[in-house]
Amino acid sequence: SDVVQQAIMCIVQEMKKLKPTHIRENGQDVTSITGDLQNVLNRPNPLMTTSDFLEKITWLLFLNYNAFIIPTYYEWVDDKGKYNRRYDGLYPIQPSQVDFIEDTSGRLFVKFRFANGQAFDPIKYSDIIHIKYRYSVNQYMGGNDAGQPDNDALLKTLKLNHQLLEGVSAAMKSSFAINGVVKYNTMLDDGKTEQALKELEAKLKKSESGFLPLDLKAEFMPIKKELQLVDATTLKFIDEKILRQFGVPLAILTGDYTKAQYEAFYQKTLEPLIISFSQAFTRVLFTDREQGYGNKIQFYPHELIFMSVDQKIEMIRELAPTGGLLENEKRTMLGLMPLPELEGKRYVSLNWVDAEIANQYQTGRLKENSNGGGDNATEY
């Protein structure tokens, strides 16, 4: 269905804008981490850019309700006996059969078979990035109890949509069919009938006024047609019914959406997917210990995706005095080129004071004196 393809494409086009980032959370403080893992996120494998990679896994997710990604890595034990792992690639796969196997110790493995008949040795499930969509009745897979897309309800709507379109097509064809009958009030053999029809067609082609001259021998009788076309409201209802299956409003599909409509689309449809992506990648790419230190993969949406120019200016006005924005960040928000001389520059207002010493500062009980070593000390 073209409507289904277009709906999924709307989601895919937004998901490929995401920026996967290795971050470390410390309470409310979040720091982006540069290193080998971030390099892999920036270039998942030799065949794909980050946007290609995100597009691929999103399509696989909606086609199969499951997306599998195999991380490749080097592992070694250093001279202190510490186990190390270094990731160097992320590869989406499209298996035709997936078998889950549990050994006697309770560890879960997955064996993949592919359309060409090739199968590989089982891989530890803990080493596979597995993103599920509509995860419900199956213990391991998204979709129905067999781990497949449950499209029964959608197919009924698509069948109705197909029948409506077929009806429109049939009505169009009938409009090109016979429009009338010419009755000749005399006996004509086959040869003369054909000749008379050719003469009639010639008169139709030459007629510029819309009137057709006929003699007493011929009588034209038009055929009354009552074409039953599907009204636009019904077609819109069917389209929206299909789109609701994927959480894509019609305004998003046509691109004629408001800020509020896009925010609703993001929160209802995109944000749950982004959370699933983030948690699936974090589960595999970090050990429990690393996750305990706040390491995770966060998929950040397109910068300032909801903001108008006025809102960006207001954001700069609010955050700039606190040092919450770099100078080049302010420029890029407004579509200006970053300047080399402003790289890393961050300015703060001096009209701020620590909340814990605000009372002393206002009453003048806070003063600075110099200790013997020349260092500034704060005294209450």
Side-chain angles (χ1 to χ4, degrees), residues 123-188:
I123 304 172
K124 287 190 296 183
Y125 185 68
S126 58
D127 286 345
I128 301 168
I129 299 174
H130 181 195
I131 306 170
K132 311 176 191 71
Y133 182 62
R134 299 192 177 180
Y135 182 46
S136 56
V137 293
N138 189 289
Q139 183 177 358
Y140 303 111
M141 303 274 280
N144 59 19
D145 56 353
Q148 297 294 319
D150 187 1
N151 291 324
D152 290 345
L154 176 62
L155 288 172
K156 291 178 182 178
T157 306
L158 292 178
K159 182 178 180 180
L160 177 59
N161 185 63
H162 177 71
Q163 290 172 342
L164 289 174
L165 294 177
E166 286 290 312
V168 173
S169 177
M172 291 178 60
K173 289 180 180 178
S174 67
S175 68
F176 303 140
I178 298 173
N179 294 310
V181 176
V182 178
K183 178 182 178 183
Y184 290 94
N185 299 315
T186 182
M187 299 294 292
L188 297 175

Side-chain angles (χ1 to χ4, degrees), residues 79-103:
D79 53 3
K80 297 181 180 179
K82 180 183 177 182
Y83 171 80
N84 294 275
R85 177 180 288 189
R86 178 182 177 183
Y87 291 98
D88 63 350
L90 297 168
Y91 292 86
I93 61 172
Q94 191 172 1
S96 59
Q97 180 177 332
V98 181
D99 298 318
F100 287 84
I101 306 167
E102 187 174 331
D103 67 8

Side-chain angles (χ1 to χ4, degrees), residues 188-288:
L188 297 175
D189 59 27
D190 291 341
K192 291 183 178 180
T193 301
E194 291 180 3
Q195 181 63 32
L197 287 175
K198 288 181 180 181
E199 292 176 357
L200 178 64
E201 290 174 355
K203 291 178 181 179
L204 287 171
K205 291 179 181 179
K206 292 179 181 179
S207 176
E208 297 179 356
S209 64
F211 292 95
L212 181 65
L214 294 174
D215 55 22
L216 293 176
K217 295 184 298 181
E219 178 183 352
F220 181 76
M221 296 179 293
I223 296 177
K224 185 178 180 181
K225 294 184 178 181
E226 294 182 358
L227 300 179
Q228 298 295 326
L229 294 175
V230 182
D231 61 277
T233 303
T234 303
L235 288 175
K236 182 180 178 182
F237 169 76
I238 296 299
D239 282 346
E240 289 183 339
K241 185 173 175 61
I242 298 171
L243 294 174
R244 282 199 301 271
Q245 182 82 3
F246 299 96
V248 179
L250 189 60
I252 297 294
L253 185 67
T254 60
D256 185 25
Y257 53 82
T258 64
K259 175 178 175 290
Q261 288 172 323
Y262 187 89
E263 286 182 356
F265 170 59
Y266 177 85
Q267 293 174 2
K268 181 180 185 296
T269 304
L270 300 181
E271 191 172 33
L273 292 174
I274 293 172
I275 292 173
S276 296
F277 278 37
S278 176
Q279 293 180 354
F281 276 71
T282 299
R283 178 187 71 85
V284 174
L285 299 181
F286 298 108
T287 63
D288 292 341

Side-chain angles (χ1 to χ4, degrees), residues 239-365:
D239 282 346
E240 289 183 339
K241 185 173 175 61
I242 298 171
L243 294 174
R244 282 199 301 271
Q245 182 82 3
F246 299 96
V248 179
L250 189 60
I252 297 294
L253 185 67
T254 60
D256 185 25
Y257 53 82
T258 64
K259 175 178 175 290
Q261 288 172 323
Y262 187 89
E263 286 182 356
F265 170 59
Y266 177 85
Q267 293 174 2
K268 181 180 185 296
T269 304
L270 300 181
E271 191 172 33
L273 292 174
I274 293 172
I275 292 173
S276 296
F277 278 37
S278 176
Q279 293 180 354
F281 276 71
T282 299
R283 178 187 71 85
V284 174
L285 299 181
F286 298 108
T287 63
D288 292 341
R289 183 173 181 273
E290 290 171 332
Q291 292 181 48
Y293 280 102
N295 289 284
K296 64 186 297 186
I297 302 298
Q298 183 67 45
F299 288 76
Y300 287 102
H302 183 57
E303 295 178 358
L304 309 173
I305 197 166
F306 305 133
M307 292 189 177
S308 64
V309 174
D310 291 339
Q311 291 171 324
K312 293 176 185 179
I313 293 173
E314 183 63 25
M315 178 181 176
I316 294 173
R317 185 179 293 116
E318 293 292 329
L319 292 182
T322 68
L325 292 173
L326 295 170
E327 291 303 299
N328 274 335
E329 283 182 315
K330 301 174 189 177
R331 293 181 59 83
T332 55
M333 283 182 190
L334 301 175
L336 301 174
M337 291 285 291
L339 299 177
E341 58 268 27
L342 293 179
E343 185 175 352
K345 295 287 185 180
R346 187 194 307 270
Y347 293 103
V348 299
S349 172
L350 294 179
N351 297 322
W352 296 83
V353 66
D354 192 329
E356 295 182 359
I357 62 173
N359 290 336
Q360 292 85 352
Y361 183 84
Q362 287 180 327
T363 58
R365 289 188 292 134

